[in-house]
Amino acid sequence: MNTVHSKLLIIGAGPAGYTAAIYAARANLNPLLVTGMQPGGQLTITTDVENYPGFSDVIQGPWLMEQMRLQAEHMGTTINYDYISRVDFSKRPFTCYGETTTFTADAVIIATGAEAKWLGIPSETKYRGFGVSACATCDGFFFRNKPVAVIGGGNSAVEEALYLSNIASHVTLVHRRNTLRSEKILQTRLFANPKISIIWDHEVDEILGTQDSVGVNGVRLRSTQDSASTQILDVEGVFIAIGHSPKTDVFKGHLNLDESGYILTEKGETTTNVPGVFAAGDVQDKIYRQAVTAAGQGCMAALDAEKFLTLN
Ligand code: NAP
């Protein structure tokens, strides 16, 4: 396996990683960015982006990420499509092990992001890919003119429901409480959409389906107000949109993480408990989690890394 050394290694290719790369490249740090398995991150499985500043027209998530990659490369970032599966932050230079390359670096910025959460029930696992999905823009196409359910009450769930209403015959949003936590503008669109209905105060008890030709044909819901009360909803697709967890497995035992697995950083900074290792974006932010805040934190990480490299 070959070894490549860089002053600054950036792990992750979402808005945080690419923005860190743009700033670091402009500071002559010659950054090397390792993309991982989903270059572009969560925005590559999003369609319309309306809230990234600078664009008066609706833009597409994958397009935005492509622009960030091009900008990072244009500024002088080297992009490597490897996947980091092991790290050693116990001594400098730090070592990060990829599938084909070992990367050593004087400083590291972690921007590995987050990924969709699952309910964790056996029937969900059984039908995943056969009617159960966590990405409407990836899999919605398979449910043309079919009834589907979306589980959750945040921005993701409402956006998925709105997106699916253009494809499915009907969309039922199922939420465990009786108020949504999504932005008001999305709620207004949701309530006005004649193809979407809402079941409040229910959670998924079991996803139902066929055995011989594996597929979903319903979902049993249980009331969160009266656990003895259940109902069956006839749907052919179930989209789980219940939030995200940080991609930090590889850093367990190497960095301080909080109880949910998010990397702990100093308040108002991107500094981790290991001097020279920084974290930016959804991997350390469970509050804001926006493309624009991730990009801002990527900028902060590059500035923090630059300062560290100057002083050490
Ligand atoms: P979220 O805001 O954490 O919402 C998760 C939803 O799933 C909540 O309504 C929660 O219910 C529900 N939930 C969680 N666990 C559940 C379970 N086991 N069973 C049933 N329901 C469950 O997650 P998100 O919607 O993925 O959004 C994450 C972040 O990304 C947010 O900051 C959001 O603003 C942002 N985001 C922004 C956009 C945008 O700006 N366009 C788009 C997507 C996401 P409770 O409400 O009862 O907790």
Side-chain angles (χ1 to χ4, degrees):
M1 198 184 278
N2 64 322
T3 300
V4 175
H5 182 79
S6 55
K7 256 189 260 181
L8 177 64
L9 181 73
I10 300 168
I11 310 174
Y18 282 139
T19 307
I22 291 163
Y23 274 77
R26 282 174 53 80
N28 283 337
L29 295 179
N30 303 318
L32 172 60
L33 184 150
V34 180
T35 62
M37 285 198 255
Q38 195 185 1
Q42 293 179 77
L43 276 177
T44 57
I45 53 169
T46 306
T47 47
D48 295 356
V49 176
E50 293 179 323
N51 53 9
Y52 198 86
F55 304 96
S56 56
D57 290 334
V58 176
I59 54 167
Q60 300 297 302
W63 177 84
L64 179 61
M65 296 321 299
E66 181 64 5
Q67 298 307 306
M68 287 193 199
R69 180 184 67 78
L70 290 170
Q71 190 177 358
E73 278 189 310
H74 178 68
M75 293 297 160
T77 304
T78 304
I79 311 265
N80 185 303
Y81 292 90
D82 211 331
Y83 171 79
I84 303 295
S85 56
R86 194 158 57 90
V87 297
D88 181 358
F89 292 155
S90 63
K91 55 184 182 309
R92 288 181 70 202
F94 304 118
T95 308
C96 299
Y97 300 90
E99 304 282 308
T100 58
T101 305
T102 298
F103 300 92
T104 59
D106 300 327
V108 175
I109 294 176
I110 299 169
T112 46
E115 62 195 339
K117 270 189 197 164
W118 295 94
L119 296 168
I121 54 174
S123 54
E124 173 191 59
T125 313
K126 180 174 172 187
Y127 292 111
R128 201 184 296 175
F130 297 95
V132 173
S133 166
C135 177
T137 51
C138 316
D139 301 326
F141 172 79
F142 300 113
F143 301 91
R144 189 166 295 280
N145 297 324
K146 294 176 178 169
V148 300
V150 175
I151 316 301
N155 272 353
S156 300
V158 175
E159 284 193 342
E160 303 246 304
L162 290 167
Y163 176 80
L164 287 165
S165 70
N166 293 319
I167 301 171
S169 58
H170 189 78
V171 181
T172 307
L173 184 84
V174 179
H175 183 36
R176 63 184 179 184
R177 294 185 297 121
N178 65 1
T179 51
L180 300 170
R181 66 169 68 229
S182 69
E183 291 167 5
K184 291 289 176 279
I185 186 170
L186 291 175
Q187 295 193 31
T188 305
R189 283 181 209 161
L190 183 86
F191 298 144
N193 192 315
K195 284 181 74 181
I196 303 176
S197 49
I198 305 175
I199 297 182
W200 301 106
D201 295 320
H202 277 74
E203 58 193 3
V204 175
D205 194 38
E206 191 179 357
I207 292 162
L208 310 169
T210 47
Q211 302 284 358
D212 30 348
S213 139
V214 185
V216 168
N217 60 16
V219 57
R220 187 170 61 238
L221 304 174
R222 187 172 295 280
S223 167
T224 52
Q225 301 297 309
D226 168 12
S227 62
S229 165
T230 61
Q231 60 174 284
I232 288 176
L233 185 66
D234 294 330
V235 289
E236 292 182 41
V238 180
F239 289 84
I240 313 294
I242 59 165
H244 294 86
S245 28
K247 292 199 201 171
T248 51
D249 283 354
V250 69
F251 308 113
K252 270 184 197 140
H254 302 278
L255 290 176
N256 288 347
L257 310 179
D258 76 4
E259 65 291 348
S260 308
Y262 288 86
I263 296 176
L264 286 168
T265 49
E266 289 294 320
K267 195 169 167 48
E269 294 178 25
T270 62
T271 318
T272 69
N273 65 303
V274 176
V277 177
F278 305 88
D282 288 15
V283 75
Q284 57 85 55
D285 169 24
K286 55 174 157 186
I287 300 171
Y288 302 105
R289 298 182 290 191
Q290 305 298 303
V292 67
T293 52
Q297 291 156 9
C299 161
M300 289 163 62
L303 299 180
D304 289 343
E306 185 192 1
K307 193 164 145 199
F308 172 84
L309 288 168
T310 308
L311 298 174
N312 290 275

